[in-house]
């Protein structure tokens, strides 16, 4: 079984980027992590995670166009790379394999 090179939080961030697609920028990612995963995270911690995923080659980013809503500032939009999608698929398969091996009685509560 291949060992994953990313942690559980990094996996969640990659999944949120895939869910948000062209709307995957810092504020929307922070909101989505809170709404969908009940994970409250600072902008600094999220920025660190996104930078680490870019260094691993699992994410890319580019600056979007300036908008009036943001006072002419631009957003940095993130996208999952092919390597990132491959990593997520491997994690999903590993988890599925492990869950498939758990006996049904092991999940019953007394």
């Amino acid at each position: 079984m291949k060992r994953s090179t990313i942690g559980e939080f990094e996996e969640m961030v990659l999944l949120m980027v895939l869910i948000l697609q062209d709307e995957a920028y810092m504020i929307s990612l922070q909101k989505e992590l809170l709404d969908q995963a009940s994970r409250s995270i600072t902008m600094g911690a999220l920025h660190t995670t996104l930078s680490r995923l870019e260094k691993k080659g699992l994410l890319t980013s580019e600056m979007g166009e300036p908008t009036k809503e943001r006072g002419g500032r631009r957003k940095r939009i993130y996208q999952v790379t092919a390597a990132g999608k491959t990593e997520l698929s491997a994690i999903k398969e590993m988890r599925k394999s492990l869950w498939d091996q758990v006996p049904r009685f092991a999940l019953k509560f007394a």
Side-chain angles (χ1 to χ4, degrees):
M1 185 179 303
K2 180 185 170 215
R3 184 170 182 252
S4 173
T5 59
I6 63 172
E8 181 254 350
F9 183 69
E10 291 173 321
E11 177 187 359
M12 267 198 291
V13 170
L14 287 175
L15 289 169
M16 296 301 170
V17 170
L18 283 176
I19 290 167
L20 291 169
Q21 296 288 307
D22 292 341
E23 294 298 316
Y25 54 92
M26 190 75 79
I27 298 292
S28 64
L29 287 166
Q30 185 183 39
K31 181 181 180 312
E32 203 72 12
L33 285 163
L34 181 61
D35 291 349
Q36 292 211 38
S38 300
R39 295 287 295 259
S40 177
I41 184 166
T42 65
M43 296 293 274
L46 182 56
H47 183 268
T48 299
T49 301
L50 291 166
S51 294
R52 189 172 48 247
L53 289 168
E54 280 193 283
K55 285 180 185 170
K56 290 180 178 181
L58 304 176
L59 273 183
T60 60
S61 68
E62 61 183 34
M63 296 303 291
E65 295 298 317
T67 61
K68 286 184 179 178
E69 308 86 53
R70 295 178 45 88
R73 293 183 321 196
R74 302 182 327 162
K75 300 174 190 170
R76 179 167 294 280
I77 308 295
Y78 293 90
Q79 291 185 323
V80 178
T81 64
K85 292 175 185 176
T86 300
E87 182 72 20
L88 285 172
S89 291
I91 292 168
K92 183 179 177 183
E93 288 302 314
M94 179 195 62
R95 289 181 193 265
K96 182 178 180 328
S97 173
L98 291 172
W99 276 104
D100 288 348
Q101 295 175 58
V102 174
R104 286 181 182 247
F105 70 87
L107 293 174
K108 290 185 180 176
F109 298 97

